[in-house]
Every structure is written in structure tokens, then in C-alpha cells.
Amino acid sequence: MRKVAVVGVGETKFSAAQEKTSVELFAEAAMEAITESNLKPKDVQALFLGNVLGDFSEGQGMVQVFAAENIGCRNIPANRYEGACASASMAVRDAFMWVASGFYDIVLAGGVERAAAMGTALATRTFAMSSDSRYEFPSGITFPALFAMLAHLYAARYGIPIDKLKEQMATVSVQSYHYGMFNPKAHLRKEVDVEAILKSFMVSTPLQLHDCCPFSDGAAALILASERAAKKLTNRPVYITGVGQASSGPLANQQDYLPRLQAREISSQQAYNMAGVKPKDIDVCELHDCFSIASLIAAEGLGFFEYGKSGEAWMKGEAAIGGKVAINPSGGLKSKGHPIGATGAGQVYEITKQLRGEVEPERQVDGAKIGMTDTLGGDGGTLVNMVLRCGW
Amino acid sequence: MEYKLAFKDYNEALKRNELLGLKCRECGTITVPPKMACRKCASLDMEVIKLMGKGKIQTFTTCNVASEGREDELPYIILLVELEEGAWIMGNLAGTDPTTASMELIGQKVRMAEGRVFPGDRYSAGEGTSPVFRIEA
Ligand SMILES: [Zn+2]
């Protein structure tokens, strides 16, 4: 297998409902990545694109072929990936494998979504399509409801009084909002305190509005290149040194692990083993905080903190910049936003910028050498992890 | 290879307040909802059995935001129940006020009271049924 580097990245602002089409959004992110890589569209050999809801948000299936043609990548193979919120990470992982295998030298990977444009009712319905439609949707399951059930289960399993857990979860949101304040590409840019969080609308007990990420519009794109190609294009390649992906079935059938998510534990072990690193080696991690409780579960599944102890870690600043591991300095899904088909590529964008030392000083993890991404789709149905490392 | 307990038959039974599952002849595990392979050992050798519909609440939530077209159902309680036969299942809770549902629900014994039919919407392939539980007196 060959080494594979991220040589250029691009991202639109993540936002509330806006008027650009999915093709336009992705075109902007893609050209930023291609230009930053000192390449031209004709140099791109294949496109791997995450997109979940284009069929519903704009009646557009097969967005990948229109995106490829639109940016001048004529007639290249173009694949669409759908794994709910993990779609773009699946696309990046597959792109990685094709370059690693030697089949391609230069590929474009990323994702695009117009989730905000759909409005809350339709977005809630379509997000629920990633739960079991025949056996669990009849009960009225929604994306917040499933993480709400995990929150109650987490409190019961680890013997944490629910009020204490809610305070811990609020601390997670406070930190994410704080870093997002300094990220010009973030969707929600405001300081929010614990009191405001605990007063916000109750979406699905115990999760309140500020425990939940927003529906966002946005796109992100990366150019992946073989080591040889990368060395000609940049003196600051960021290598993808480990990848992992795993799946699980319906929520109730994950009974032996809940509130842990087995797919994450399998996927992250694959990524750690391949990269030859351990959780303690990770300087910065963008993890899947679709809900505040999801951050706690993720940080434990990735091995950063003991089971049931993540909330305390956040409260002690161990998940902040300067702590044990800097988690979500982009603002995470909570503040940066969650254009679901693009989210994973947005995480790789952030880690690449962090390792290059190119983000705003208020949220830069100084001297970061090794970063990680964690992207979850559905109710733990798909998990993708990546480890990235400075190549200079 | 024929599917042993298809959605249609499982769903028809649930509408009659009958919960069906599959018992593995190799490892004894109960698989519900039905699958081609045992959820534990992946054996295909399973027989259809009738489950008691009794169990214990593992977790719950009171949902205040619904999917498009299901707003009239709000607020409602969703549960994960551990059945006496060992499998977990998703369902709803009746007879308990959703607005006051609290952590005390966890661990309570419940019994299936009915199958509640979701008639389906423009996206779903017809109806589906949710097992509705009640706290055992
Ligand atoms: Zn078995």
C-alpha cells in the first residue's frame, strides 16, 4: 500500500438555509481544494462525493456527475456515498483506498448537503430514514430521540444523577459554542452559557435545543494524492496514516453495547492500529457531536476517557485546547454546523488546517502533529475514523 | 433461500397484539425483529416462536418534536424494553403521562398492551406497527 496525503482542502461556510444549489456549493469547495493543491480540474482522476438528501432537498439524485462536469472534471468516474451523517467520511476513506492501492494518483473527495433548506419537519423525517424504517420508525423514532434514549441509558448505566449529567452535557455545548465563535465558517457563532442551555426548548427528554446540532447547508472538499504526487505539489502534505469503518444494525439490536457504540470501537481500533498510534498520541480530534451526549459517548469509545467519566473530563478542561486532547476546536457539529453529507470532509478540512497551524489563534492547537476524525451515521449504523499526521 | 418470518407476517401478528420472534436452534438466542440470520451466532437455523411481550424498561425519552406528518402524536414516550426472552425491542409507553415521565421509569416492569399501527406516509412502504407497553400493576 502506498502513502496517501491530503494536499489541498476547501470548504464553504456552513450555514442556515441559503440559496446556492448543491452543485454550486460543492463547486466552490472543490475549486478551493484544487487550486490550493496547485492542480487543474483536468488533473483529477475520480470524484468521491458524500450526499444524503439531495433527492429530497432539491429533487436531485446523482449530484456527483453534475458536480464533476460543472467544475471541469470531464468524464471522470464519479461516485456518490450515502451513510447518513458519515457519508463524506466514507467517500474520503474509499478515495484513500484507491490512491493507496495505486489505482489513482490524484482524486477529489468531499461532500455537500442542503439540510437547512429542508426545514425542521422534513429534515426530521428524512434524518429518521437512517433508522430502521420497518421496525423502529413506527414507534416515532427521531434522531434526537435516539440520542435522548442513550442519554438516559448512560445516566442509569454509570450511576450519574440526570441533573449532573445535564450539567456535564451543557459544558460540552458551552465549549463548542466558544470555539465556534472564532471560526468564520461556523454556522452558529455565539457564546451560550449553561443557564441558557438549561432553559432552552426541550426537544426530546433530556436533550434540549442547545444539546442538539443545527441542520446546516454546506460543502467541503479535499484533494488526496499519492506520496510521490504529493511531494511535487506541496511541502506540507498531511498524511492519512490510519482509517477504519464499521457498521451496526437497528438500535435495539445493539443491546449488548449500548450506550457504547460497537461500530465506533471497531472502526477506531482499525484506524489506531493502522496508524500505529494510541489514543494518548492524538493531539486534536474532531468527533461527532451531533448531540452533547454523543460527544461523551464518542470520547469514551475513542479511548480518550474512561467510560462514564467524559463529562467530568470536559468540566475539568481535559477536552479543551491545552487539555489531554483538544476536542472539536472547530466548534464541532454543534457550532460549526452539520451539513450531513459534507460533515466528515469538513472534519478532515479542520484537522488538516490545525496540523498546518493555519486556524485562528484563539482556537489553534499549538504544535499539533497527529489528528483524528470521528464520524457517525444513523444510530451508530456507520462509523468512520481517520488518523492524520504532519508530513514535514 | 426463503425468509422465515417476513415483515408482513410479523406486522400482522403485532396488530393482533402478538409478538413473534425467532429462536436460534444452535445458540438459543431470540432474534426480534426477524432477520435471516441469528443476531448472535449468524446461524440460519431458527424457528418462529411467540414471545410473552413482557419485559423491563431499559431507557426512554419523551419526544416533543416529530417527523413531518406525525406532529399530532406529540408528546409521546419511546422506549427500549428488554424482553424476558433477552432481546431488546423499541416501542411506546401508554398509561404514563409523557410530560412527567422521569428516570424512575428505568427498570420498571412492562407488558405489551397493543400493537399501534402507523398507517405510513408518502415515503414509507405502507403501514408499520409499534408495540405499545404499559407498566405492570
Ligand atoms: Zn444463534
Side-chain angles (χ1 to χ4, degrees), chain A residues 66-103:
Chain A
F66 301 103
E69 192 264 358
N70 186 284
I71 60 174
C73 295
R74 300 279 153 72
N75 307 115
I76 60 169
N79 297 352
R80 172 179 168 185
Y81 288 80
E82 196 283 292
C85 314
S87 299
S89 288
M90 291 163 64
V92 174
R93 178 174 169 274
D94 268 28
F96 163 86
M97 292 192 295
W98 284 112
V99 175
S101 74
F103 200 91

Side-chain angles (χ1 to χ4, degrees), chain A residues 125 137 140 149 152 205 255, chain B residues 59-61 70 76 88 121:
Chain A
R125 175 66 183 98
F137 186 68
M149 285 199 286
H152 280 150
T205 61
Q255 64 180 73
Chain B
T59 188
F60 75 98
T61 183
R70 300 191 69 173
Y76 53 86
W88 287 28
D121 59 15

Side-chain angles (χ1 to χ4, degrees), chain B residues 23-31 37-46:
Chain B
K23 182 169 186 176
C24 179
R25 289 198 181 98
E26 292 195 18
C27 77
T29 297
I30 304 295
T31 291
C38 169
R39 69 178 169 87
K40 201 73 158 186
C41 75
S43 165
L44 303 179
D45 190 9
M46 299 191 288

Side-chain angles (χ1 to χ4, degrees), chain A residues 121-122 124-125 129 134-140 145 148-149 152-153 157 201-205 252-253 255-256, chain B residues 7 10 32-33 35 40 59-62 64 67-68 70 76 78 86 88 90 92 103 121 123 125-127 130:
Chain A
L122 180 58
T124 302
R125 175 66 183 98
M129 289 178 185
R134 302 283 66 202
Y135 295 114
E136 297 192 339
F137 186 68
S139 300
M149 285 199 286
H152 280 150
L153 186 60
R157 272 299 149 81
F201 174 70
M202 183 62 80
V203 175
S204 196
T205 61
N253 295 127
Q255 64 180 73
D256 295 340
Chain B
F7 167 76
Y10 174 88
V32 62
K35 303 178 196 297
K40 201 73 158 186
T59 188
F60 75 98
T61 183
T62 295
N64 294 317
S67 283
E68 180 192 77
R70 300 191 69 173
Y76 53 86
I78 310 180
W88 287 28
M90 191 180 290
N92 297 115
M103 286 294 285
D121 59 15
Y123 310 111
E127 67 179 30
S130 172

Side-chain angles (χ1 to χ4, degrees), chain A residues 15-25 58 114 117 217:
Chain A
S15 74
Q18 50 77 57
E19 292 182 341
K20 284 184 179 138
T21 70
S22 294
V23 166
E24 290 164 352
L25 285 172
E58 42 181 40
R114 295 181 71 191
D217 288 8

Side-chain angles (χ1 to χ4, degrees), chain B residues 74-88:
Chain B
L74 294 172
Y76 53 86
I77 300 174
I78 310 180
L79 303 170
L80 286 175
V81 171
E82 182 174 56
L83 298 169
E84 285 196 4
E85 293 89 351
W88 287 28

